[in-house]
Amino acid sequence: MIYNIVDYGAVADGVTDNSNAFKAAISECEEKGGTVYVPSGEYVTGPIHLVSHLTLYLEAGSVILFTDAFSRYPPVRTRWSGYDCYAFSPLLFGENLTNVTVKGEGVLDGQGESWWKVANDLKRGCSYHDETTHRLRALNHALLPDLKTNVLEWESQFLRPPLLQFYECKNITLEGVTVRHSPFWNTHLVYCENVTIRGLTFENPADTPNGDGCDIDSCRYVRVSDCQFDVGDDCLCLKSGIDETGRRIGRPTEYVTVTNCTMARGHGGVVMGSENSGGIQHVTISNCVFNGTDRGIRLKTNRARGGYIRHILATNIMMNDVFCPVAINMFYKYGIDEHDELLQKEEAIPITEKTPVIEHIHLSHITVDRARAAAAFIYGLPEKPVADVRISHVHIRMTDDEEEKGGEPDMVKESVRMAGDGIVAKYVNGLHLHDVSVTTRQGPAFKVNHGTNVTLNDLTMPSIHEGTPVIVSQGENELYVGGNQASMLRDSYYEADHPIHDVKSQRNREPLL
């Protein structure tokens, strides 16, 4: 059955409120199943709540414009920035549903400008109150003892909604549509299973506050393919809850495939964390292009999170004009108590349930042109190093622009600024590079500090700067090196505080230097 919203009184003039027409069509579909059809034209509406066994089809030329009247979006129980709490209702929302499809060639437009203005005003110290934020404050007050966070203590409680959210749903398909101008994260999947996202276009202006493209949050069996991202924050982000509440709920994001996607701009191409407390695992990323994103493949966590990020494979990736192609950071500085001196320490601290794990990361067949900060930034914890990272058949050319000032490859607890540098690794255990080529603007191709079982086989630096070694080993490292360039250059290839060993001699550890 097809239920055309025009038959229920909808008017495509970009002005009339069509909330009742959408509600009536969906209500009939709830009884009989079928397709709610949106023909060409602009339809203004309040929030749309979907039902099971429904297809929402947007014809080419159709635009659903969600009103920016905040009072139209009453509080719902959801997950907001990692915390399970109450927030403004998502604009297009599905909860506890099965077999739902949103598809077509039309547009879902969140008209987020008014939401962004309030969010930016709050950052500047302004205040904001309305009926909904007062209700949110009352609803969330009872949750504060369990959540142990200052997020819900914000005076305004202006917890902006995503444009599209499915919560505790199964068998969800999103196909073809454009989702743009979201008040908050663009598309948010929470506690869902068996999700297909195919051929979507995610759009948010570059200055959108928290304007992620798509966030996959404690979901299983998710397939993302043939999508285009051009957003104001992370393009595609995998999450699983934050800190104690995320660990207690313990629902990981797992069994995710991402393929044939293009990312233009955004803080990261494919990002995991920093809300990883429920765990993130078994993720495959392939055949993607990142153009102008700040980071390419990005994993981030810190000493408050716990949880894990593991069994990640990224292959056949092309990056252009990115800030830092690979960032693996366990010292992510945001969302951590600045007054907790223990969590800020550089030296090892006791391992607890708050200690995160990053391990079993395989990156291969990646080509990068004109990266601007560092070729890769791998920063573990002294008490729990990043473990088993394998990087192979990777070719990175850093910017040769002498005016490039660079910046932080990733957001660590202390400012680390780089411009045109190579691969930097600190606190790693089991880092293996094979057939990796790095052309830097300055400095070595590879620098390591506190590395155990580090193997570099055919690490090359095509353009070697006079007086600059290819490898710098600072402090005590267990480092094995082999390959043609290492044999040819010998002494000028290394700068090391302690002996370096031949890859062929790992068992008896005969030193090369």
Side-chain angles (χ1 to χ4, degrees), residues 316-442:
N316 291 348
I317 311 292
M318 180 73 72
M319 303 187 198
N320 179 62
D321 195 27
V322 300
F323 200 69
C324 182
V326 176
I328 302 175
N329 179 13
M330 299 181 75
F331 256 122
Y332 185 64
K333 66 184 178 183
Y334 293 110
I336 195 166
D337 188 350
E338 296 179 358
H339 304 292
D340 191 329
E341 295 183 1
L342 189 65
L343 299 184
Q344 305 293 336
K345 283 186 175 182
E346 177 74 17
E347 60 266 26
I349 66 173
I351 292 176
T352 69
E353 73 280 355
K354 295 182 179 180
T355 306
V357 173
I358 294 182
E359 61 186 3
H360 311 315
I361 313 297
H362 293 190
L363 312 174
S364 71
H365 296 89
I366 297 174
T367 299
V368 181
D369 192 29
R370 297 199 310 274
R372 291 175 283 129
F377 184 77
I378 305 171
Y379 200 137
L381 296 173
E383 69 274 14
K384 181 62 72 171
V386 175
D388 184 25
V389 177
R390 299 175 182 269
I391 302 175
S392 62
H393 307 292
V394 171
H395 304 276
I396 301 172
R397 187 172 73 87
M398 303 303 294
T399 179
D400 56 9
D401 181 2
E402 294 298 330
E403 301 299 319
E404 174 60 56
K405 293 181 171 49
E408 292 182 297
D410 204 56
M411 301 165 184
V412 295
K413 66 181 187 63
E414 57 189 21
S415 179
V416 177
R417 299 186 65 84
M418 299 176 186
D421 288 50
I423 297 171
V424 178
K426 189 171 185 179
Y427 303 123
V428 294
N429 180 12
L431 173 61
H432 306 280
L433 274 61
H434 173 70
D435 185 19
V436 174
S437 170
V438 181
T439 301
T440 66
R441 191 190 78 176
Q442 61 183 10

Side-chain angles (χ1 to χ4, degrees), residues 481-498:
V481 177
N484 289 335
Q485 193 174 57
S487 299
M488 291 168 58
L489 297 176
R490 300 300 295 181
D491 293 347
S492 63
Y493 191 78
Y494 319 96
E495 180 181 298
D497 295 339
H498 291 271

